Amino acid sequence: MLKIAITPERPPQRLIKHLLTIEPFIDGVILRLSDSDDAYIVIQSLLQAGFDKKKLIVHSDVTLLNFFQLSRIHFRQGDRTAYNLKEKRPQLSVSMAVHSVSACQEALWHHLDYGLYSHLFPTPSKPAQVPRTPLEIKEALATGLPLIALGGITAETLPQLPAEFVGYAGIRLFEC
């Protein structure tokens, strides 16, 4: 199963140290950084330290993707930039957050590589939202879009994931 970390809110130097520590144990990291200067510093520092470039997944920032000549990018659900980018540059790995069967079908129709489907379990980051039902999960998996599980993934909930997921993602799961 693929293991995708998502960056927590941390100052750049702490984040860099954290990512270098977990790098051997993950298959990718979605760099969800709100400040583009911080993102530039983090990516540059990681690459200089020998972080595997193929594991870096920028979040929605095509400029960073191009500047660092990265091959992976992730978008919010329904972001048409993802569809256009995949059409123009099919060699890129383009993923998207998906929260419904219709979103999975749309991402599949646009040839995206996979979706992050959430949320599966109760999670502190979305305390007011009810997790997906077993039927919703089954229907999303049946669309044919490769899905990575997200939301409330812990060491305790990992064994409960349906085998059809191609991986799992999280923030707290990869804390050290």
Side-chain angles (χ1 to χ4, degrees):
M1 286 195 120
L2 295 173
K3 297 176 281 303
I4 306 292
I6 300 171
T7 53
E9 289 293 325
R10 288 192 182 166
Q13 292 308 317
R14 282 189 55 219
L15 182 59
I16 292 162
K17 183 178 178 185
H18 168 70
L19 294 175
L20 289 170
T21 301
I22 66 169
E23 193 260 342
F25 310 104
I26 61 172
D27 298 298
V29 58
I30 296 175
L31 301 167
R32 199 173 61 174
L33 304 165
S34 54
D35 184 288
S36 61
D37 290 339
D38 285 352
Y40 177 85
I41 291 166
V42 168
I43 295 170
Q44 186 69 37
S45 298
L46 289 172
L47 292 173
Q48 287 174 346
F51 195 98
D52 185 348
K53 188 177 192 176
K54 294 180 203 135
K55 292 184 180 185
L56 296 176
I57 308 166
V58 294
H59 192 292
S60 305
D61 193 327
V62 178
T63 302
L64 278 175
L65 176 85
N66 293 333
F67 182 84
F68 287 103
Q69 298 178 357
L70 301 175
S71 60
R72 298 171 79 182
I73 189 164
H74 179 78
F75 291 91
R76 287 183 172 81
Q77 179 173 293
D79 189 332
R80 306 224 43 94
T81 306
Y83 307 146
N84 297 332
L85 187 63
K86 188 64 178 179
E87 183 179 344
K88 290 177 185 166
R89 297 171 62 190
Q91 76 281 9
L92 290 177
S93 174
V94 180
S95 62
M96 178 176 280
V98 291
H99 306 294
S100 66
V101 168
S102 62
C104 292
Q105 291 167 332
E106 185 173 340
L108 185 64
W109 191 82
H110 287 283
H111 308 289
L112 299 192
D113 294 280
Y114 60 92
L116 267 67
Y117 184 72
S118 70
H119 66 278
L120 271 64
F121 304 102
T123 176
S125 62
K126 302 212 189 293
Q129 290 187 7
V130 177
R132 304 288 169 225
T133 67
L135 179 59
E136 288 174 311
I137 295 167
K138 182 179 177 180
E139 289 175 343
L141 288 165
T143 64
L145 178 69
L147 293 177
I148 292 179
L150 176 64
I153 310 294
T154 65
E156 293 76 31
T157 60
L158 260 175
Q160 299 171 41
L161 288 180
E164 295 85 1
F165 279 100
V166 298
Y168 54 89
I171 298 173
R172 284 175 294 285
L173 181 64
F174 297 102
E175 291 288 327
C176 55

